[in-house]
Amino acid sequence: MSENILEIQSLRRQFGETIALDGVSLTVPKGGVFGLIGGNGAGKTTLIKHTLGLLKAQSGSVRVFGLDPVADPVGTLGRIGYLSENRELFDWMRVHQIISYTAAFYPSWDPVYAERLRRDFDLDPMANIKTLSRGQRARIGLLLALAHRPDLLILDEPSSGLDPVVRRDILGAIIRTIAEEGRTVLFSSHLLDEVERVADHIAILHQGKIQLSAPMDRVMLDHKRVQFRLPAEVDKFPGNGIWLQAEGSGKDWSVVTVASTEAIQEATVAMGALIQSIEPISLEDIFVARISAKGLEQEGRS
Ligand code: ATP
């Protein structure tokens, strides 16, 4: 039995002229919180739709729990909880109606948990769905995705529309609880401080390609910012293939790298430079360095 919940191989998807996914290969291990990050239009939602069988692979393959979600929706969808980016809901229903309607689809539905979430989320059971605010729609969407206790919870931009308290306290707690129970969360986000806080593993998607996929602690350990003082002023930082991104001017440069300390020392000696400091950097800085057009010569090494 595979220990990967999701296995994607060479997945490609084109909409007319737009290449949304350009040969994506990605595995999501069982258990834990997997953060999929990328800018607007990077391909996150398209990738998620393939995992749900809502889009069929034009080429390449997608396996969820070892199954093809298009060929076997019964074997996959019943074990997945999904919060869509647009929070599609039946607008003509009331809150209590959409809860019992959704419950009917899932043998594993937990009514006690559903009621607890309804109270935690402060949702009036008699409220009309069409009158709910964006944040309330996100809350009911989250409730519906969670209450059948799925093996895989997929959240597309879960924080969008949620106020900071729900985002930080409730969503954070839910995500951690699921991971602690050995279940898996896959969520997309462009709120990188949030991803840094909750994810165990991240993948960066940029222009339909995976730039990096690795455990969070390794990503944070591997990337660092080095402040250099060069012996002479330059317009462009001397690239030797180990720098991801360089910013600066004259003699003072700030460079992001995944190189080892030895490799950095070696390059420093070769440049006749001085290292002013080596510091850890935030996930946001890592993301910018990885997708930056200013990236130097080098594809990622993590
Ligand atoms: P965002 O963070 O803005 O939601 P995303 O990373 O989720 O972006 P996608 O929605 O997957 O990105 O879109 C990837 C690319 O594919 C974009 O250029 C988008 O315009 C295009 N695209 C997605 N769905 C369709 C569609 N049904 N028809 C045409 N183009 C599409």
Side-chain angles (χ1 to χ4, degrees):
M1 181 74 189
S2 162
E3 277 304 290
N4 290 324
I5 287 286
L6 173 63
E7 290 182 344
I8 296 176
Q9 291 287 336
S10 310
L11 179 61
R12 192 180 153 85
R13 157 62 60 163
Q14 195 159 346
F15 297 104
E17 296 288 290
T18 307
I19 300 171
L21 297 176
D22 190 5
V24 166
S25 294
L26 187 70
T27 53
V28 174
K30 181 174 184 292
V33 182
F34 194 106
L36 181 63
I37 62 183
N40 291 132
K44 303 181 295 297
T45 300
T46 305
L47 191 149
I48 285 174
K49 284 184 174 170
H50 280 85
T51 69
L52 295 158
L54 298 175
L55 287 173
K56 190 171 188 291
Q58 285 172 333
S59 66
S61 67
V62 178
R63 293 290 176 272
V64 187
F65 312 117
L67 303 169
D68 176 349
V70 174
D72 196 347
V74 177
T76 53
L77 286 183
R79 298 172 63 190
I80 299 176
Y82 171 49
L83 177 69
S84 76
E85 188 180 27
N86 297 325
R87 324 292 190 228
E88 290 98 354
L89 299 166
F90 294 112
D91 276 350
W92 48 273
M93 288 187 178
R94 293 180 189 274
V95 165
H96 76 91
Q97 287 171 320
I98 203 164
I99 292 175
S100 31
Y101 174 83
T102 310
F105 286 93
Y106 295 102
S108 59
W109 188 267
D110 182 341
V112 176
Y113 184 40
E115 179 57 14
R116 204 177 82 211
L117 288 167
R118 189 193 64 71
R119 287 169 191 272
D120 286 351
F121 289 164
D122 202 16
L123 288 162
D124 173 2
M126 294 309 289
N128 284 310
I129 302 285
K130 65 171 173 290
T131 65
L132 297 182
S133 71
R134 185 162 160 68
Q136 287 166 328
R137 290 180 80 90
R139 292 172 190 212
I140 184 80
L142 203 49
L143 182 159
L144 300 176
L146 282 164
H148 62 99
R149 298 193 175 276
D151 292 324
L152 172 61
L153 179 66
I154 299 181
L155 308 173
D156 198 351
E157 297 286 354
S159 292
S160 167
L162 292 177
D163 62 55
V165 175
V166 176
R167 202 156 76 200
R168 196 176 177 112
D169 297 348
I170 302 185
L171 183 63
I174 286 168
I175 288 178
R176 289 284 19 131
T177 305
I178 288 183
E180 279 156 21
E181 289 170 359
R183 294 185 283 146
T184 311
V185 183
L186 167 64
F187 78 111
S188 78
S189 182
H190 49 245
L191 297 178
L192 300 187
D193 55 337
E194 180 173 275
V195 177
E196 191 174 335
R197 216 168 43 238
V198 298
D200 307 310
H201 196 116
I202 60 152
I204 296 177
L205 188 61
H206 180 56
Q207 295 177 344
K209 290 195 166 92
I210 298 290
Q211 300 292 328
L212 167 73
S213 176
M216 177 69 91
D217 49 3
R218 221 187 86 200
V219 171
M220 300 309 288
L221 272 178
D222 283 354
H223 289 77
K224 47 222 157 229
R225 183 180 298 284
V226 188
Q227 304 284 352
F228 284 108
R229 170 145 272 235
L230 298 178
E233 297 196 354
V234 292
D235 292 334
K236 189 171 176 284
F237 192 77
N240 77 343
I242 65 170
W243 319 123
L244 292 174
Q245 184 204 26
E247 287 171 342
S249 61
K251 292 183 178 180
D252 292 309
W253 289 82
S254 165
V255 177
V256 177
T257 185
V258 291
S260 66
T261 312
E262 295 74 34
I264 295 170
Q265 300 283 7
E266 223 172 87
T268 308
V269 172
M271 292 187 290
L274 283 177
I275 294 175
Q276 312 283 66
S277 62
I278 301 184
E279 285 162 8
I281 59 173
S282 67
L283 184 58
E284 187 164 319
D285 285 346
I286 293 170
F287 177 74
V288 171
R290 285 279 175 170
I291 68 164
S292 170
K294 285 178 278 176
L296 302 179
E297 293 177 27
Q298 168 76 8
E299 286 287 88
R301 293 188 166 186
S302 268

